[in-house]
């Protein structure tokens, strides 16, 4: 187990190192990095400050060391669009909103996908099942930004059930503002999770021990709740574990649709005003989160399932 | 034993609905038809349609802004799906958008598929440190999400077709590499490869002539399964403003244009979104069907 964690941790470090090199190289690859990192209307003063900050007049390997040092100490550069703020401050300030959105989206999709998947499996070949299939197919094909806009149009504008955008004032208002974005963000995973838990449940229902339980004459609800549920839930839960980090991509789009002030919207606002240091910092932070979450998930699996450790 | 089986398996009557469903799955006429209707025909005949009937997708008529679709009051057959705030014709742009989606999906899947397949063949066949490096590259790619990659590349290269295609190809190659590597690993230990080697075939020849033909089905199935996802991704990037640049008629961009108009003019965002939904839905159904026909072991991919 220890060996496994060390090897996986080492791989994670290599990945982070490679990401830093890629982003570093991309910004320096095309002639003058100040062209990429600052908007065209930047003043000479700003250009000079940037040159100083990243030591752009030094040789490349020195620049890289400065860069890596800055990244690890959290000095990710100064914003141009929001003068006086560093990229790190901006991200920290917006991070809680994004985490909240992602977690709620996850809860929404898991808590709907599992029961619906099990329901459609138990009621196979009925209206429930066909409805579930159609729902799953649509959910995996609908563009989530369009779904978000349509929900705003119908639920927020026409019926006035939800606010159209923003994040509210905390408490109930905050939750109220989260429902539509969380659903739009979780829709794809909800559909995929429904399909997975349906097929997992069908496999379990077809297994020998369930047949045995039926032969013993147990009531159907005990078979489903006590014998099937736990075994069937494993596969979809694994899927959700893997997908959690993938929600980051979705959060950028969802935050843009609902003007929800998280890190994703920050990145989009920054790229629109060519505030590249902020963009670059968001990418570094998101990649870091992804690598750490993936590492944790792997270690957790190895802990739960000894077969993984041995390979 | 037989008695137990008889008791244990409750006989389920299959209703008419599920029989229709089963038939629909076996013969994907419906998805094919929708696909042909939404994607292929308009994609091919887009210039003809706009020459003879609809206005050019890049021609804005200031006097005909925000006209509703033909069945609503104030609509006309000149603009069957209405116009947007610049006076662009929605129908014309949705039709031309099919072309944009097709080109982006086609080119990026070919590029990503080629790179991924090549790397997968090499990693699987040679193994050792080559395999190690390629698999690390896969890990690295997986930790940079598509949208983030697009943000950086748009910052560096500027927006445009080439940037979108590079981003999507960079996202796609990973799955081909992993899948083809896995297949190659199991194929290279089979008799026919050993015999080819005894007969004096070089490694390159074995890979191209003996292993590659055996993974072609897998690649085709994966490519079909991915078309829908690629269209969704491209639309998402364009929606964010880091994909296809204005004023090209891309579906994602059109939805973005309609976002702020949703209260006054729902049609601007609605129709291009429906086009995406229909296309992706039918591509997914088609991909599922093709997978079941050609390569059922891909079921969990």
């Amino acid at each position: 187990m220890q060996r496994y964690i060390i090897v996986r941790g080492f791989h994670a470090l290599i990945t982070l190192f490679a990401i830093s090199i890629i982003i570093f190289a991309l910004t320096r690859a095309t002639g003058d990095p100040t062209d990429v990192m600052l908007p065209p209307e930047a003043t000479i003063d700003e250009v000079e400050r940037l040159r100083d900050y990243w030591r752009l007049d030094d040789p490349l390997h020195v620049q890289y060391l400065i860069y890596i040092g800055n990244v690890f100490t959290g000095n990710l550069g100064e914003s141009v669009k929001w003068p006086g703020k560093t990229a790190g401050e901006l991200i920290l300030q917006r991070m809680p909103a994004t985490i909240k959105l992602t977690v709620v989206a996850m809860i929404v999709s898991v808590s709907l996908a599992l029961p619906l998947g099990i329901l459609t499996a138990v009621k196979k070949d009925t209206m429930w099942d066909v409805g579930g299939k159609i729902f799953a197919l649509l959910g995996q094909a609908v563009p989530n930004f369009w779904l978000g806009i349509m929900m705003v149009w119908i639920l927020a504008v026409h019926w006035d059930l939800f606010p159209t955008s923003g994040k509210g004032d905390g408490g109930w208002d905050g939750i109220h503002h989260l429902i539509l974005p969380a659903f739009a963000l979780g829709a794809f995973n909800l559909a995929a999770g429904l399909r997975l838990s349906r097929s997992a449940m069908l496999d379990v229902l077809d297994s020998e021990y369930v047949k045995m339980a039926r032969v013993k004459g147990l009531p159907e609800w005990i078979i489903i709740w006590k014998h099937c549920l736990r075994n069937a839930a494993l596969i979809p839960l694994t899927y959700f574990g893997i997908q959690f980090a993938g929600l980051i991509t979705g959060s950028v789009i969802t935050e843009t649709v609902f003007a929800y002030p998280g890190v994703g919207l920050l990145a989009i606002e920054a790229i629109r005003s060519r505030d590249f240091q902020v963009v670059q910092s968001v990418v570094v932070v998101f990649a870091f989160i992804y690598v750490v979450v993936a590492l944790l998930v792997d270690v957790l699996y190895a802990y739960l399932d000894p077969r993984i450790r041995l390979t | 034993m037989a008695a137990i089986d008889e008791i244990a398996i409750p006989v389920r009557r299959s209703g008419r609905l599920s029989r229709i469903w089963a038939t629909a799955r076996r013969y994907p006429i419906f998805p094919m038809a929708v696909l042909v209707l939404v994607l292929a025909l308009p994609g091919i005949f887009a210039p003809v349609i706009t020459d003879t009937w609809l206005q050019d997708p890049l021609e804005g008529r200031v006097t005909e802004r925000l006209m509703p679709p033909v069945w609503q009051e104030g609509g006309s057959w000149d603009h069957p799906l209405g116009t947007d705030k610049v006076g662009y014709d929605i129908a014309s742009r949705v039709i031309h958008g099919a072309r944009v989606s097709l080109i982006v999906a086609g080119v990026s899947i070919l590029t990503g598929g080629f790179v991924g397949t090549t790397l997968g063949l090499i990693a699987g066949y040679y193994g050792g440190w080559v395999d190690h490096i390629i698999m690390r590259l896969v890990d690295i790619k997986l930790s940079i999400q598509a949208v983030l990659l697009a943000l950086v590349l748009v910052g560096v290269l500027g927006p445009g077709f080439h940037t979108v295609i590079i981003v999507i190809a960079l996202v796609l190659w990973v799955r081909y590499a992993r899948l083809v590597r896995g297949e190659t690993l199991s194929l290279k230990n089979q008799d026919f490869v050993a015999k080819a080697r005894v007969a004096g075939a070089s490694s390159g020849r074995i890979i191209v002539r003996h292993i590659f033909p055996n993974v072609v089905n897998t690649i085709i199935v994966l490519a079909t399964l991915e078309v829908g996802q690629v269209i969704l991704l491209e639309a998402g990037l364009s929606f964010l403003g880091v994909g296809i640049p204005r004023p090209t008629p891309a579906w994602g961009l059109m939805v973005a244009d309609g976002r702020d108009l949703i209260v006054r003019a729902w049609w601007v965002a609605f129709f291009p979104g429906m086009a995406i939904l229909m296309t992706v839905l039918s591509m997914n159904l088609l991909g599922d069907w093709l997978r079941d026909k050609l390569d059922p072991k891909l079921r969990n991919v």
Side-chain angles (χ1 to χ4, degrees), chain A residues 117-181:
Chain A
I118 287 159
L119 179 76
T120 51
V122 172
K123 307 226 177 238
K124 190 170 181 282
D125 293 335
T126 62
M127 287 292 275
W128 287 99
D129 192 23
V130 175
K133 273 177 192 157
I134 292 174
F135 178 80
L137 282 171
L138 286 177
Q140 288 191 302
V142 69
N144 61 355
F145 52 92
W146 184 73
L147 179 67
I149 295 173
M150 290 300 125
M151 286 197 305
V152 166
W153 177 40
I154 295 167
L155 298 175
V157 176
H158 265 261
W159 291 346
D160 205 16
L161 295 173
F162 298 97
T164 54
S165 61
K167 82 169 173 137
D169 307 320
W172 167 241
D173 195 39
I175 297 171
H176 201 200
H177 276 82
L178 263 178
I179 295 174
L180 287 189

Side-chain angles (χ1 to χ4, degrees), chain A residues 11 18-19 127 146 195 249 257, chain B residues 17 136 145 147 259 269 288:
Chain A
H11 283 172
I19 292 169
M127 287 292 275
W146 184 73
R195 270 178 108 168
T249 307
V257 172
Chain B
L17 251 175
R136 275 293 77 66
Q145 302 281 310
V147 169
R259 180 187 163 233
D288 283 354

Side-chain angles (χ1 to χ4, degrees), chain B residues 81-159:
Chain B
L81 301 181
T83 58
D84 74 358
K85 124 179 117 179
V86 202
Y88 285 147
D89 184 86
I90 304 282
S92 164
R93 285 174 72 80
V94 166
I95 289 170
H96 278 262
R99 279 195 141 186
V100 174
S101 284
L102 269 184
I103 291 170
V104 171
V107 176
S108 55
I109 288 177
L110 279 180
T111 320
F114 177 75
V115 173
T117 306
T118 313
L119 289 177
L121 284 169
I122 292 173
Y125 186 80
Y126 290 103
W129 61 271
V130 180
D131 182 30
H132 235 76
I133 290 178
I134 293 177
M135 285 303 106
R136 275 293 77 66
L137 282 178
V138 167
D139 275 357
I140 293 164
K141 161 61 214 46
L142 286 177
S143 58
I144 306 183
Q145 302 281 310
V147 169
L148 303 179
L149 196 64
L151 284 175
V152 176
L153 284 181
V154 165
V156 175
L157 301 175

Side-chain angles (χ1 to χ4, degrees), chain B:
Chain B
M1 205 50 216
I4 291 179
D5 275 341
E6 272 165 37
I7 304 166
I9 304 168
V11 183
R12 290 200 178 91
R13 268 187 317 120
S14 52
R16 190 197 300 179
L17 251 175
S18 65
R19 249 182 295 138
I20 295 174
W21 181 262
T23 323
R25 275 193 77 88
R26 210 164 327 130
Y27 308 99
I29 292 168
F30 177 68
M32 292 277 210
V34 174
L35 202 68
V36 168
L37 224 66
V38 175
L39 208 59
L41 275 184
I44 295 164
F45 293 109
V48 184
I49 296 171
T50 44
D51 274 354
T52 52
W53 174 24
L54 300 167
Q55 77 190 40
D56 190 85
L58 295 178
E59 181 197 341
R61 293 184 188 162
V62 195
T63 49
E64 295 168 19
R65 286 183 300 183
L66 290 180
M67 279 175 57
V70 61
W71 59 87
Q72 279 198 349
E73 212 182 312
S76 89
W77 274 110
D78 288 342
H79 308 287
L81 301 181
T83 58
D84 74 358
K85 124 179 117 179
V86 202
Y88 285 147
D89 184 86
I90 304 282
S92 164
R93 285 174 72 80
V94 166
I95 289 170
H96 278 262
R99 279 195 141 186
V100 174
S101 284
L102 269 184
I103 291 170
V104 171
V107 176
S108 55
I109 288 177
L110 279 180
T111 320
F114 177 75
V115 173
T117 306
T118 313
L119 289 177
L121 284 169
I122 292 173
Y125 186 80
Y126 290 103
W129 61 271
V130 180
D131 182 30
H132 235 76
I133 290 178
I134 293 177
M135 285 303 106
R136 275 293 77 66
L137 282 178
V138 167
D139 275 357
I140 293 164
K141 161 61 214 46
L142 286 177
S143 58
I144 306 183
Q145 302 281 310
V147 169
L148 303 179
L149 196 64
L151 284 175
V152 176
L153 284 181
V154 165
V156 175
L157 301 175
F161 265 94
H162 59 287
T163 314
V164 182
I165 285 168
I166 292 173
V167 169
I168 297 178
L170 278 172
V171 170
L172 290 183
W173 73 269
V174 174
R175 299 182 68 181
Y176 293 91
R178 290 177 125 185
L179 211 67
V180 170
R181 171 182 174 266
E183 299 254 302
T184 310
L185 276 179
S186 66
L187 283 171
K188 79 169 177 187
N189 293 324
Q190 288 190 8
D191 269 355
F192 68 91
V193 174
K195 281 172 187 155
R197 200 174 294 134
V198 170
S202 66
S203 292
R205 191 183 161 82
I206 291 176
I207 293 177
V208 175
R209 299 296 294 270
H210 297 275
I211 295 183
F212 178 69
N214 282 295
V215 295
V216 165
N217 269 6
T218 311
I219 297 171
I220 292 175
V221 171
L222 185 59
T224 330
L225 283 171
E226 269 175 341
V227 176
Q229 289 175 31
V230 169
I231 292 177
L232 274 183
L233 180 58
E234 177 264 307
L237 295 177
S238 301
F239 174 79
L240 287 175
V242 293
I244 310 282
R246 269 168 241 278
T248 314
W251 288 337
L253 266 180
M254 298 170 68
V255 176
D257 285 339
R259 180 187 163 233
D260 296 327
L261 294 168
I262 193 68
V263 181
R264 275 198 297 158
W266 57 271
W267 54 89
V268 180
F270 181 81
F271 292 113
M274 272 316 259
I276 303 174
L277 175 62
M278 284 304 168
T279 314
V280 176
L281 185 65
S282 24
M283 263 340 279
N284 287 352
L285 286 170
L286 189 69
D288 283 354
W289 173 79
L290 205 65
R291 176 195 58 199
D292 293 347
K293 281 266 140 152
L294 292 180
D295 206 345
K297 62 180 179 297
L298 271 173
R299 261 195 174 272
N300 294 318
V301 176

Side-chain angles (χ1 to χ4, degrees), chain A residues 66-146:
Chain A
I66 298 286
Y67 167 82
I68 255 309
N70 279 347
V71 167
F72 272 102
T73 49
N75 297 319
L76 296 160
E78 278 174 33
S79 165
V80 180
K81 185 174 185 233
W82 297 272
K85 293 228 177 196
T86 66
E89 282 168 13
L90 286 166
I91 292 175
L92 267 184
Q93 193 189 337
R94 301 262 194 131
M95 197 47 110
T98 295
I99 292 176
K100 221 191 307 179
L101 174 63
T102 321
V103 170
V104 174
M106 206 63 184
I107 293 172
V108 167
S109 45
V110 175
S111 63
L112 287 175
L114 281 183
L116 283 177
I118 287 159
L119 179 76
T120 51
V122 172
K123 307 226 177 238
K124 190 170 181 282
D125 293 335
T126 62
M127 287 292 275
W128 287 99
D129 192 23
V130 175
K133 273 177 192 157
I134 292 174
F135 178 80
L137 282 171
L138 286 177
Q140 288 191 302
V142 69
N144 61 355
F145 52 92
W146 184 73

